[in-house]
Amino acid sequence: MIPGIDVSHWQGDIDWAKVKAAGVKFAFIKASEFPDKKTTMFVDNKFEINRKGAEANGIYWGAYHFFRTHIDSIIQAESFCKLVGSVPSLPLVLDLEVAGSKGSKLVRKVRSFVETITSITGRKPIIYTSGGFWRPYMTYEKLTDVDWAVEYPLWMARYTSQWPGTIYPWSAWDFWQYTDKGRVPGIKASVDLNWFVGSLDDLQTRFLPKISQSKSTEMLDGEGIAVPSQPFMEEKAFQQPSGAAIAQNIPAPQFRAERIGRQEESEDTKVETQNKQSPSFLSFLHDRFNKKEKRNVDPLQSQEWIEDVVYRDRK
């Protein structure tokens, strides 16, 4: 699990060197939106500063566009791409959390946006959303309306200390925003905290352009599994724990992982040997999380769930 943040002008001036020292590996940065009832694109006044700050400190970054439905999807996508320009880091992001329409009409607009981004950049954008938005708005008419979305990475918002489920049609999430009240050195205001489900190598391989991958020299020492039992509240919370630290300070997780990237074995074997609890707990983690399972989506089962839970008030 790799820690990251997402920021906008609401976080004010950011000391990216301190953010880097705190252990942040990636950041999603707000770039633009078309405010409600406005036809002129709003550009976040901290976007360029934040992007340069992240780049200068070796933090992988991605730009996101807050999607609205009153402006043509293709115009939004083209304006977004023109603003951001070349993207040598993480893919662009569709921030989907408000809507002026729902059902098939909204689905067509969202699909048009992501397909335009893909056509322009040659890379599939990440979709940011929550189950609370996606289910009642995107699958309002038919569950199968969103089958195409499985081809795009999912960045899911769900504020909970438990391991979250996922959203149809995805069998797993890639990024998880788990709180909007995080505290990180270098940022005075509260900030959204995220996890990437995998190792740093997985992040580089799956989400960086090949050129960036070949130039990347940053490696995470002694990569292990960091369980998000508590939000990051201080600098040490971002430091990658050794095997002993994991065994001593983090309770056994009470959740089931949908999918997680392969983790490398910790090099801190001496500390693990000294601590009698380490082998059993680390074995539990490896047995629990190191197996990749490809789950097939069952549309019928999901449809029954949608009808029972989401549309209950409509019956």
Side-chain angles (χ1 to χ4, degrees), residues 1-6 16 19 23-28 54 58-62 89-90 155 174-176 193-197 200 203:
M1 300 280 283
I2 303 301
I5 59 175
D6 59 277
W16 285 96
V19 171
V24 172
K25 300 299 178 184
F26 66 89
F28 291 116
I59 296 174
Y60 299 127
W61 64 273
S89 196
L90 301 177
W155 173 18
D174 298 287
F175 298 89
W176 168 27
L193 301 180
N194 301 271
W195 288 105
F196 166 69
V197 64
L200 186 62
L203 182 67

Side-chain angles (χ1 to χ4, degrees), residues 127-142:
I127 296 177
Y128 166 90
T129 192
S130 66
F133 177 88
W134 187 269
R135 295 185 182 107
Y137 287 95
M138 292 292 284
T139 60
Y140 177 75
E141 294 174 353
K142 292 188 300 181

Side-chain angles (χ1 to χ4, degrees), residues 26-27 29 47 51 54-55 59-63 84 86-90:
F26 66 89
I29 303 170
F47 171 61
R51 172 164 66 173
E55 285 182 340
I59 296 174
Y60 299 127
W61 64 273
V84 178
S86 176
V87 183
S89 196
L90 301 177

